Amino acid sequence: MMLTNSKAFITDNFLLRSKEAEILYHDYAKGMPIIDYHNHLSAKQIAENKPVGNITKAWLSEDHYKWRGMRAHGIDEAYITGTASLKDKFTKWGKTVPFTLRNPLFHWTQLELKRYFDIDTILQPDTADDIYEKANTILAQKTPAQLLEQMKVELVCTTDDPTDSLEYHKQIAAGNFYTKVLPTFRSDNFFFIENTVTFTAYLDKLDACVNFSIDSLDSLFKAIDERIDFFDEHGCKLSDYGITGPLYVVDYTEDEVTEIFKKFLSKITLTEDEIAKYRTYILFYLSRKYHEKGWAQQFHLGPIRNNNKRLVEQCGADAGCDSIGDYSFAESMSKFFGQLDYENKLTKTICYNLNPAHNEVFASMMGNFNTGELPGKMQWGSSWWYLDQKDGIEKQLNTLSNIGLLSHFVGMLTDSRSFLSFPRHEYFRRILCDLIADDVQKGLVPNDMAFLGKIVQDICYNNAMNYFKFDSN
């Protein structure tokens, strides 16, 4: 069975169910530039700026959302992460799309086809060949920089390991690009001390980066300080942390952690308690440094990763077999943020939860540590990963409105590796406008389009610009 392609699915008023929603979106939200302050785009690809060339590479090469959908539809792994041709992989994705109905993949796919390629027809088996050819003809000429400019993406923050040379960020900064590309300091690799082989290899990499030997805890912190300074000099405004499970907050002393690090260097197996003490100390040290620099810190909390051992062994990490965890976060967040706040060293903070059952937990925890230094210092982050769909976005906006201040929200991000993912900002903006307009119709907020429109524009762009202290183009 095929879907009928008799008329466009993505209309001007897609997701806008009232005249008020249409006004808020078309008059206020639609024209705002995009700030995407968290994603996994390749700075190398942007700097080299070669034509993207092929829609399969742009869409399917690293997209675990699509991989999961294809597996659920019974597509063989050869057509997902395997050795099948790019055309055959796209054909199998086209076969899958109609059956993603009510999954955000259906909306995202059609939005991206419309915005980048002006394609109104629904991707499915009888349209896949034509869409593949038309998209590839356009992508043969379109570079990453052009795709970003086409969507008015003014600024993106990539996700970068502390040992990154940032050479491609430097090239972009020196070039003539519409989009500003800034690094983000992703600290995860500092924490994996329990794995002697991989952590030793990482310290060797860090040694080479800072040109001195990391043979003590003090020298590790000297290296961390140098890398933070380096990132700061190249425009970094954010850090990120994405370790599985709750934040590490156990009692420790500096002397204890010094001895723990010595034990690791001597290749003595550490206990779970020692690992927790080391991780706690590193976490606090980094957060105090971020405060010193005036950076925002991000915490992505809640996944349970690599559930399918067979698939991980076959395809590697990030194979698309991560899911929502059921950890407890409230106590560790309270202790961690509370201690930093008590020291007056709590920097701007954004926390993202993956489990929707934790919405109210995260929203209320962030409100405990706001101060008068800037609006919305503590942010409950946008709907993330499994939650960045219509229902998840609406729930996040409603909970934030009930418990915090929606008006100071720093808005949407893609968290994507694809240069074709930026219509997700449009998706969010349409949902936001429709939600506020629905309140107008119900008499829950005043029917003042100018006032409401300004709040919409702030959430779409202005709040992020002011919060992160980005320089405008």
Side-chain angles (χ1 to χ4, degrees), residues 387-405:
L387 307 183
D388 62 352
Q389 25 73 11
K390 186 174 183 294
D391 180 64
I393 291 169
E394 289 174 343
K395 285 177 178 175
Q396 194 267 348
L397 293 172
N398 282 326
T399 302
L400 178 57
S401 301
N402 288 333
I403 293 178
L405 295 183

Side-chain angles (χ1 to χ4, degrees), residues 41-50 144-145 148 156 158-161 163-177 179-184 227 230-231 234 419:
L41 296 181
S42 166
K44 180 177 186 289
Q45 283 184 272
I46 299 172
E48 293 176 344
N49 209 25
K50 298 175 182 177
L148 292 169
V156 297
T158 56
T159 302
D160 310 282
D161 186 82
T163 60
D164 196 295
S165 69
L166 304 185
E167 60 182 296
Y168 298 110
H169 294 81
K170 297 176 194 175
Q171 289 181 30
I172 296 166
N176 184 26
F177 290 84
T179 304
K180 184 177 292 186
V181 181
L182 300 180
T184 297
R227 298 314 295 167
F230 178 74
F231 270 63
H234 290 86
F419 290 102

